[in-house]
């Protein structure tokens, strides 16, 4: 095997040597060309993928599975696509006339334009952001040929960046590059969280600028920039970053409340018009209304869009919503009637509930009117059928496992679409399914406690964390206000009150803020302004030292946004190879015994694999898994983690034993706040867990002394796993 390891790379060098190929060589050839021995280690991708498949066959999926369901066994059929180049689209206008010319063309366009969210927000809302590049690529040529008159395709940003690396073990930049090659004619759009870029914290200014630059170079066109508090200094930074990268700037006003309700005037029509004034003055190319919770009713839509259209006759208006209450189509048609140029939709089989309103419904309703979208309904049906079947592959993540419908109570609790699904899910996994109503009520109360906020990532997480905290500790709003100086609030709430994400409209809630913070430091003004610039040179050098010289500018950017996630992604790929080449069923579930399949590593490099057998458990707790790879027998040794766990399994908390504290839900331990011998009060925080983007504090059920601690930071727990024991 050792010879093979050196001979093949050596011969590859010989065959790519110019002299060897194009002139005469003699016996001196090797001596004269010492660089033939610069052997690039073979990537060994095939063996690594077998290792991955074996691992999944023995231990199940490597990504956490929220729903006990298997990917469906049916593969989506790709509708036929005509040969030749796709028709000219709005991206051709953008490339020819630049962002200003593009905006003009959008404003002058007759009929209603659509942005398709199927590639991002639809699956972020319904399938926990889990859709893989593999399934997006398959349908891309069809989209390019049949939906050339879309305003844009939203396919990047938001949570996709983090989830691609963390849960799908694929590179988000590669997704962008591959989709761009397949869809040259439709503009791509991303969601940029202002100064938070694609993360949850504030980054130094130069990191946000560089991020936009690299995104633009990789094919991003339109940057929808928002801030989770509508905090203008944060928005201006994101707008400037997107603009100086050469992107189309689409500044988004996050919408909350109800402008048509005279009783709700914290976020009045005037408030939105003033905000729009500042964004238009700052030079936004497109003005967006981001209704992240789906609160826009038709009447409010008419008022808001009508007023914006009057004040800014030349600025294109783009409206985003979620269909949580079920009135999304009606609201978007009202926006269009009132003068909006573009609305967001998702293909029918990925629409509705906490996703966007249905593309087919809006295309059909607008057909033959002055709003006609020019999109062929039968093409929408084909597109929808692909996604209906593809969605079955993601059954383990589908929110419809627990959530059967939308709900108009969103007008009361104002929970954003993406978070609504998460909270619902969490309530179920914590066995609080029946308490979901309580969680929603607590969310509305938590929002009032914090002074009635704009709620969207990351501010929505803060309200959600506070709501969970209230439900778990059985606290009313009045009790929280009264006991604010003694309660131990979730970290996200404390940091918000310190000013970590910006200043909310109308200021911070008092006396709550002073009571919680006491002498903790406060940030004045824009949080990123006080951060020193990121040293990209040092970051890159560090990455090269760790991962070798194949590090790209995109890798450096991934590490800047998510250092730990990127590190784990690189380690995963070093072990398991390019899992993004596997079909989704293989990725999640592995092959069945005797199944034959093909894996395309790159164009023209295809592996033929057959899964043959699973061996018995050996003394070291491993199993041998046998494959046929391109006709040759191969095997891999896989640690059986279930068997290993049984050898040293994690004990469960016994409900009957007083003082045993178990994990309320599956999650990762963020920190343990006590140690053996600590005296604890009833209700005192013992440990912090993280699951589904939310932090959960586990509190002591009784007063006493900590007798034993069974977990450490970073440990992954199942529900009811024993955390610690307390004795009276």
């Amino acid at each position: 095997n050792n010879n093979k390891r050196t001979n093949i790379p050596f011969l590859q060098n010989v065959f790519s040597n110019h002299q060897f190929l194009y002139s005469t060589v003699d016996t001196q050839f090797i001596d004269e060309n010492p660089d033939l021995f610069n052997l690039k280690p073979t990537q060994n991708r095939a063996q690594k993928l077998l290792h991955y498949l074996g691992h999944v066959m023995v231990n199940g999926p490597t990504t956490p599975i929220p729903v006990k369901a298997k990917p469906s066994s049916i593969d989506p059929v790709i509708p036929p696509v005509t040969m030749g180049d796709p028709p000219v689209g709005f991206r051709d206008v953008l490339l020819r006339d630049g962002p200003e010319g593009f905006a003009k063309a959008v404003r002058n366009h007759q009929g209603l334009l659509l942005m398709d969210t199927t590639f991002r927000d639809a699956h972020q809302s319904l399938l926990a952001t889990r859709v893989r590049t593999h399934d997006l690529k398959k349908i891309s040529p069809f989209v390019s040929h049949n939906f050339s008159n879309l305003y844009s395709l939203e396919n990047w940003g938001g949570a996709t960046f983090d989830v691609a690396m963390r849960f799908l073990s694929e590179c988000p930049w590669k997704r962008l590059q591959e989709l761009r090659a397949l869809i040259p004619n439709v503009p791509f759009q991303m969601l940029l969280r202002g100064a938070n870029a694609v993360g949850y914290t504030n980054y130094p200014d130069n990191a946000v600028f560089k991020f936009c630059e690299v995104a633009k170079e990789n094919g991003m066109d339109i940057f929808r920039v928002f801030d989770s508090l509508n905090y203008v200094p944060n928005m201006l930074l994101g707008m400037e970053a997107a603009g100086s990268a050469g992107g189309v700037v689409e500044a988004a006003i996050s919408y909350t409340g109800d402008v048509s309700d005279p009783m709700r005037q914290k976020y009045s029509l005037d408030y939105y018009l003033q905000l729009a004034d500042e964004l238009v003055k700052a030079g936004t190319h497109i003005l967006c209304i981001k209704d992240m919770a789906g609160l826009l009713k038709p009447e409010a839509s008419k008022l808001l869009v009508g007023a914006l259209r009057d004040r800014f006759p030349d600025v294109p208006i783009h409206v985003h919503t979620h269909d949580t209450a079920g009135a999304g189509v009606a609201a978007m048609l009202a926006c269009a009637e009132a003068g909006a140029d573009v609305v967001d939709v998702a293909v029918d089989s990925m629409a509705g509930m906490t996703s966007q309103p249905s593309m087919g419904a809006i295309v059909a309703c607008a057909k033959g009117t002055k709003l006609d979208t020019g999109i062929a309904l039968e093409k929408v049906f084909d597109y929808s059928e692909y996604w209906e079947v593809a969605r079955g592959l993601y059954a383990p993540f589908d929110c419809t496992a627990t959530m059967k419908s939308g709900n108009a109570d969103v007008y009361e609790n104002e929970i954003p679409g993406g978070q609504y699904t998460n909270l619902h899910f969490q309530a179920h996994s914590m066995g609080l399914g029946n308490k979901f109503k309580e969680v929603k009520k607590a969310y509305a109360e938590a929002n009032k406690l914090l002074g009635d906020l704009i709620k969207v990532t990351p501010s929505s997480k803060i309200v959600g964390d506070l709501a969970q905290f209230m439900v778990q500790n059985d606290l009313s709003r009045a009790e929280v206000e009264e006991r604010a100086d003694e309660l131990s609030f979730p970290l996200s709430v404390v940091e918000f009150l310190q000013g970590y994400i910006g200043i909310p409209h109308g200021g911070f809630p008092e006396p709550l803020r002073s009571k919680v913070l006491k002498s903790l430091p406060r940030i004045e003004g824009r949080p990123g302004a006080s951060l020193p610039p990121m040293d990209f040179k040092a970051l890159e050098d560090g990455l090269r030292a760790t991962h070798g010289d194949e590090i790209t500018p995109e890798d450096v950017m991934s590490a800047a946004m998510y250092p730990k996630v990127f590190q784990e992604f690189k380690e995963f790929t070093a072990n398991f190879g390019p899992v993004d080449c596997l079909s989704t069923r293989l990725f999640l579930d592995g092959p069945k015994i005797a199944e034959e399949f093909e894996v395309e590593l790159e164009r023209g490099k295809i592996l033929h694999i057959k899964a043959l057998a699973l061996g018995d458990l050996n003394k070291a707790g491993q199993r041998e898994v046998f494959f046929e790879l391109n006709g040759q027998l191969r095997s891999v040794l896989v640690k059986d983690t279930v068997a290993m766990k049984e050898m040293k399994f994690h004990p469960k908390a016994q409900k009957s034993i007083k003082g045993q504290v178990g994990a309320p839900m599956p999650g990762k331990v963020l920190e343990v706040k006590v140690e053996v011998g600590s005296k604890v009060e009833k209700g005192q925080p013992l440990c912090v867990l993280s699951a589904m983007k939310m932090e959960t504090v586990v509190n002591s059920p009784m007063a006493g002394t900590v007798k034993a601690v069974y977990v450490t930071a970073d440990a992954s727990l199942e529900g009811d796993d024993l955390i610690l024991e307390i004795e009276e």
Side-chain angles (χ1 to χ4, degrees), residues 84-341:
D85 290 334
V88 168
F90 268 102
R91 181 154 193 265
D92 301 278
V93 176
L94 174 57
L95 293 178
R96 189 186 66 220
D97 302 337
E100 279 84 5
F102 168 77
K104 219 180 231 105
V106 169
R107 185 67 196 99
N108 293 335
H109 178 83
Q110 297 301 301
L112 177 62
L113 288 168
L114 303 179
M115 171 170 103
D116 176 21
T117 68
T118 307
F119 280 40
R120 202 245 357 144
D121 204 10
H123 73 88
Q124 184 170 323
S125 301
L126 299 176
L127 304 175
T129 328
R130 288 306 203 281
V131 171
R132 299 169 68 244
T133 304
H134 188 270
D135 297 312
L136 297 169
K137 274 169 30 182
K138 282 188 174 167
I139 194 67
S140 288
F142 180 81
V143 171
S144 174
H145 280 267
N146 295 291
F147 297 104
S148 59
N149 48 358
L150 285 172
Y151 162 85
S152 67
L153 181 70
E154 191 195 35
N155 62 359
W156 215 62
T160 61
F161 195 88
D162 163 35
V163 171
M165 291 191 288
R166 189 192 302 257
F167 294 130
L168 305 179
S169 303
E170 57 181 48
C171 171
W173 300 100
K174 189 174 170 196
R175 172 177 303 186
L176 186 51
Q177 293 155 357
E178 294 186 322
L179 294 180
R180 186 78 280 174
L182 294 168
I183 308 178
N185 56 335
V186 178
F188 283 177
Q189 178 152 348
M190 75 165 289
L191 187 61
L192 188 79
R193 299 168 176 156
N196 303 126
V198 287
Y200 301 98
T201 55
N202 269 284
Y203 294 98
D205 295 357
N206 70 327
V208 181
F209 274 77
K210 198 157 173 68
F211 180 86
C212 291
E213 227 168 90
V214 181
K216 176 76 174 61
E217 278 164 17
N218 278 283
M220 187 41 61
D221 298 306
I222 304 170
F223 294 77
R224 177 180 285 170
V225 181
F226 77 100
D227 176 77
S228 77
L229 298 172
N230 282 340
Y231 181 57
V232 174
N234 273 350
M235 290 182 73
L236 294 179
L237 180 94
M239 290 167 68
E240 206 183 315
S244 62
V248 175
V249 179
E250 182 181 298
I253 297 173
S254 295
Y255 176 80
T256 194
D258 181 356
V259 294
S260 64
D261 180 353
M263 299 311 293
R264 300 212 45 193
Q265 288 304 301
K266 175 168 183 179
Y267 299 102
S268 61
L269 187 57
D270 230 26
Y271 164 77
Y272 293 112
L273 288 173
Q274 257 177 301
L275 201 49
D277 262 338
E278 293 192 64
L279 301 177
V280 171
K281 240 192 234 88
T284 191
H285 299 119
I286 315 273
L287 187 61
C288 170
I289 299 164
K290 179 177 162 66
D291 177 20
M292 59 280 170
L295 305 178
L296 269 175
K297 299 169 190 156
E299 191 53 33
S301 303
K302 275 197 280 227
L303 271 173
L304 181 57
V305 175
L308 289 170
R309 181 42 72 229
D310 286 349
R311 187 171 297 196
F312 309 109
D314 302 328
V315 180
I317 296 173
H318 184 170
V319 188
H320 164 86
T321 191
H322 289 255
D323 200 19
T324 313
V329 172
M332 291 308 94
L333 290 172
C335 287
E337 289 286 345
D341 300 273

Side-chain angles (χ1 to χ4, degrees), residues 58 614-618 621-625 636-640:
V58 172
L614 215 57
D616 292 334
L617 196 63
N618 67 16
Q622 299 165 313
R623 293 177 190 275
E624 196 167 2
V625 189
V636 291
L637 269 180
V638 177
K639 229 191 210 110
D640 188 325

Side-chain angles (χ1 to χ4, degrees), residues 500-704:
Y500 271 73
I501 66 167
I503 301 166
H505 171 55
F508 288 99
E510 283 296 359
L512 184 76
R513 186 190 198 199
S514 301
K515 279 180 154 182
V516 174
L517 293 187
K518 302 181 196 64
S519 61
L520 286 174
R522 303 167 185 221
I523 294 171
E524 304 303 332
R526 184 169 73 77
S530 47
L531 293 173
M534 196 174 275
D535 184 343
F536 280 100
K537 180 82 185 74
L539 179 60
E540 184 176 344
D541 293 346
L543 291 171
R544 282 182 192 283
T546 312
H547 304 291
D549 281 340
E550 312 280 282
I551 289 290
T552 64
E554 289 75 22
D555 289 335
V556 176
M557 214 53 248
S558 296
M561 294 287 124
Y562 286 101
K564 194 159 171 256
V565 177
F566 178 73
Q567 170 72 21
E568 285 166 4
F569 162 62
K570 286 301 275 187
E571 287 166 6
F572 184 96
T573 311
N575 281 327
F576 290 129
V579 295
D580 58 324
C581 301
L582 299 170
S583 75
T584 295
R585 193 177 312 104
L586 287 171
F587 172 73
L588 289 174
D589 219 21
K592 298 186 175 48
I593 296 295
E595 184 180 339
E596 297 186 44
F597 51 96
E598 289 187 344
V599 177
E600 187 172 11
L601 289 178
E602 56 192 74
R603 228 181 136 168
K605 266 202 177 173
I606 294 181
L607 306 174
H608 298 272
I609 303 176
K610 182 175 183 181
L612 298 176
L614 215 57
D616 292 334
L617 196 63
N618 67 16
K619 286 208 174 53
Q622 299 165 313
R623 293 177 190 275
E624 196 167 2
V625 189
F626 297 89
F627 295 95
E628 198 177 279
L629 173 70
N630 297 339
Q632 291 186 315
L633 183 67
R634 289 280 182 94
S635 74
V636 291
L637 269 180
V638 177
K639 229 191 210 110
D640 188 325
T641 51
V642 177
M644 297 295 280
K645 256 198 191 132
E646 279 163 9
M647 292 176 189
K648 56 167 204 299
F649 68 98
H650 197 103
K652 297 280 181 196
Q654 305 295 319
K655 293 227 163 42
S656 55
I657 303 178
K658 206 180 165 191
Q660 288 207 351
V661 181
M665 62 194 291
K668 206 170 186 175
V669 179
L670 288 185
E671 65 166 321
V672 182
K673 291 177 171 283
V674 292
E675 48 194 44
V676 174
S678 301
K679 295 258 184 290
V680 295
E681 294 302 313
K682 183 173 175 171
Q684 181 177 333
L686 302 172
C687 145
V688 186
L689 297 181
S690 150
M692 312 264 315
K693 280 201 215 165
M694 309 277 281
E695 284 172 29
T696 302
V697 180
V698 179
N699 295 313
S700 179
M702 56 189 273

Side-chain angles (χ1 to χ4, degrees), residues 315-639:
V315 180
I317 296 173
H318 184 170
V319 188
H320 164 86
T321 191
H322 289 255
D323 200 19
T324 313
V329 172
M332 291 308 94
L333 290 172
C335 287
E337 289 286 345
D341 300 273
V342 194
V343 300
D344 287 3
V345 294
V347 73
D348 310 25
S349 52
M350 292 284 287
M353 301 217 310
T354 53
S355 176
Q356 275 63 52
S358 150
M359 177 189 279
I362 287 189
V363 168
C365 291
K367 201 172 159 61
T369 73
K370 67 177 197 319
L371 300 177
D372 200 312
T373 60
I375 285 172
L377 209 47
E378 41 289 346
K379 296 303 182 192
V380 179
F381 301 152
D382 290 343
Y383 185 33
S384 189
E385 189 183 18
Y386 172 84
W387 280 109
E388 186 169 359
V389 182
R391 186 171 172 173
L393 298 171
Y394 296 94
F397 310 103
D398 200 316
C399 73
T400 54
T402 53
M403 196 160 122
K404 300 302 179 199
S405 68
N407 195 330
D409 70 2
V410 71
Y411 295 128
E412 295 278 291
N413 54 52
E414 305 182 333
I415 301 172
Q419 187 183 28
Y420 196 96
T421 328
N422 273 356
L423 281 170
H424 188 272
F425 219 71
Q426 227 181 342
H428 273 262
S429 67
M430 289 176 74
L432 300 175
N434 53 337
K435 282 199 180 169
F436 185 47
K437 200 163 151 212
E438 263 179 65
V439 174
K440 291 193 283 193
K441 276 216 158 43
Y443 190 96
E445 292 294 291
N447 175 50
K448 288 182 189 133
L449 266 171
L450 296 172
D452 188 8
L453 300 180
I454 308 270
K455 292 167 291 297
V456 58
T457 309
S459 59
S460 50
K461 176 186 181 313
I462 295 157
V463 179
D465 286 351
L466 182 55
Q468 296 276 38
F469 174 75
M470 289 166 73
V471 171
Q472 283 179 335
N473 296 298
D474 205 13
L475 293 164
S476 69
R477 180 175 151 201
E479 287 169 319
V480 174
E481 279 175 332
E482 201 175 303
R483 299 176 44 199
D485 43 6
E486 55 174 83
L487 291 169
S488 77
F489 286 92
L491 182 63
S492 61
V493 175
V494 179
E495 290 187 340
F496 161 70
L497 292 170
Q498 285 179 275
Y500 271 73
I501 66 167
I503 301 166
H505 171 55
F508 288 99
E510 283 296 359
L512 184 76
R513 186 190 198 199
S514 301
K515 279 180 154 182
V516 174
L517 293 187
K518 302 181 196 64
S519 61
L520 286 174
R522 303 167 185 221
I523 294 171
E524 304 303 332
R526 184 169 73 77
S530 47
L531 293 173
M534 196 174 275
D535 184 343
F536 280 100
K537 180 82 185 74
L539 179 60
E540 184 176 344
D541 293 346
L543 291 171
R544 282 182 192 283
T546 312
H547 304 291
D549 281 340
E550 312 280 282
I551 289 290
T552 64
E554 289 75 22
D555 289 335
V556 176
M557 214 53 248
S558 296
M561 294 287 124
Y562 286 101
K564 194 159 171 256
V565 177
F566 178 73
Q567 170 72 21
E568 285 166 4
F569 162 62
K570 286 301 275 187
E571 287 166 6
F572 184 96
T573 311
N575 281 327
F576 290 129
V579 295
D580 58 324
C581 301
L582 299 170
S583 75
T584 295
R585 193 177 312 104
L586 287 171
F587 172 73
L588 289 174
D589 219 21
K592 298 186 175 48
I593 296 295
E595 184 180 339
E596 297 186 44
F597 51 96
E598 289 187 344
V599 177
E600 187 172 11
L601 289 178
E602 56 192 74
R603 228 181 136 168
K605 266 202 177 173
I606 294 181
L607 306 174
H608 298 272
I609 303 176
K610 182 175 183 181
L612 298 176
L614 215 57
D616 292 334
L617 196 63
N618 67 16
K619 286 208 174 53
Q622 299 165 313
R623 293 177 190 275
E624 196 167 2
V625 189
F626 297 89
F627 295 95
E628 198 177 279
L629 173 70
N630 297 339
Q632 291 186 315
L633 183 67
R634 289 280 182 94
S635 74
V636 291
L637 269 180
V638 177
K639 229 191 210 110

